[in-house]
Amino acid sequence: QQLGTPSEVYNRPANTFVAGFMGSPRMNLLKAHAHAQADGVALAIDGGGGAGQRIDVPMQVLPAALSGALSGARLGKSGQAVIAGIRAEAVTLAGPGVVAGPLQRSFDARVEVIEPTGADTLVVLSLGGQEFTARLEPDVALQPGQTARFLVDMSKLVCFDPQTEALLA
């Protein structure tokens, strides 16, 4: 499926099969779409509507190769579907008063499952019906059913074509 260094295969998987196969937990794969903004096309990871249920990622925050792919002929139109890939370690809990950095986006999500593993805690979150996993510090104070604010490092984002499941850019 893919040849490369361990870092290349882990961080830039060639397709969704490799993304799901490499790493534990597997890469989070979320439904997303391109949409028009005043300054061009942006990417929205849609959680099903409602306040705090959509992560908008403007073009200037996206990695350069991905930005080019989204604004190219294949994905330049508003509403184009993509699969957004985010590793669990790219998600962190936002403490009180924490402001997202230039490459981060904040979002609210419901905690579904908490799994302490010793060195860290795996937390399964729900963003408008889409589940994904965050790798958090071992002493995280969260409870199932609770809604909390999280940050995601968008520089770690990769996107896949929903038809071919191949990496974009």
Side-chain angles (χ1 to χ4, degrees):
Q1 294 281 320
Q2 181 175 1
L3 294 175
T5 67
S7 178
E8 290 168 343
V9 173
Y10 184 78
N11 293 309
R12 298 208 29 91
N15 54 44
T16 58
F17 175 80
V18 175
F21 184 75
M22 295 302 296
S24 180
R26 57 175 271 142
M27 180 178 272
N28 296 298
L29 299 173
L30 303 168
K31 293 177 186 174
H33 65 276
H35 68 96
Q37 280 195 165
D39 59 349
V41 178
L43 183 68
I45 300 171
D46 199 347
Q53 292 297 303
R54 181 168 128 167
I55 305 171
D56 277 321
V57 187
M59 195 62 73
Q60 60 270 27
V61 172
L62 297 173
L66 181 56
S67 177
L70 286 173
S71 58
R74 285 181 5 167
L75 294 175
K77 61 180 188 258
S78 191
Q80 176 66 46
V82 297
I83 299 170
I86 296 282
R87 291 279 180 200
E89 57 272 16
V91 181
T92 58
L93 184 62
V98 171
V99 177
L103 297 178
Q104 294 178 317
R105 287 294 172 264
S106 64
F107 63 96
D108 294 326
R110 177 184 162 91
V111 175
E112 298 296 333
V113 177
I114 297 174
E115 182 181 343
T117 64
D120 50 30
T121 300
L122 299 178
V123 180
V124 178
L125 304 171
S126 177
L127 178 66
Q130 291 195 77
E131 287 191 353
F132 62 100
T133 304
R135 183 185 306 272
L136 303 177
E137 45 288 329
D139 58 350
V140 69
L142 292 172
Q143 299 297 318
Q146 175 183 359
T147 297
R149 180 154 294 256
F150 297 87
L151 296 173
V152 62
D153 180 355
M154 300 314 294
S155 70
K156 306 293 185 189
L157 175 74
V158 294
C159 285
F160 303 93
D161 182 298
Q163 280 76 42
T164 66
E165 297 187 351
L167 179 68
L168 294 171

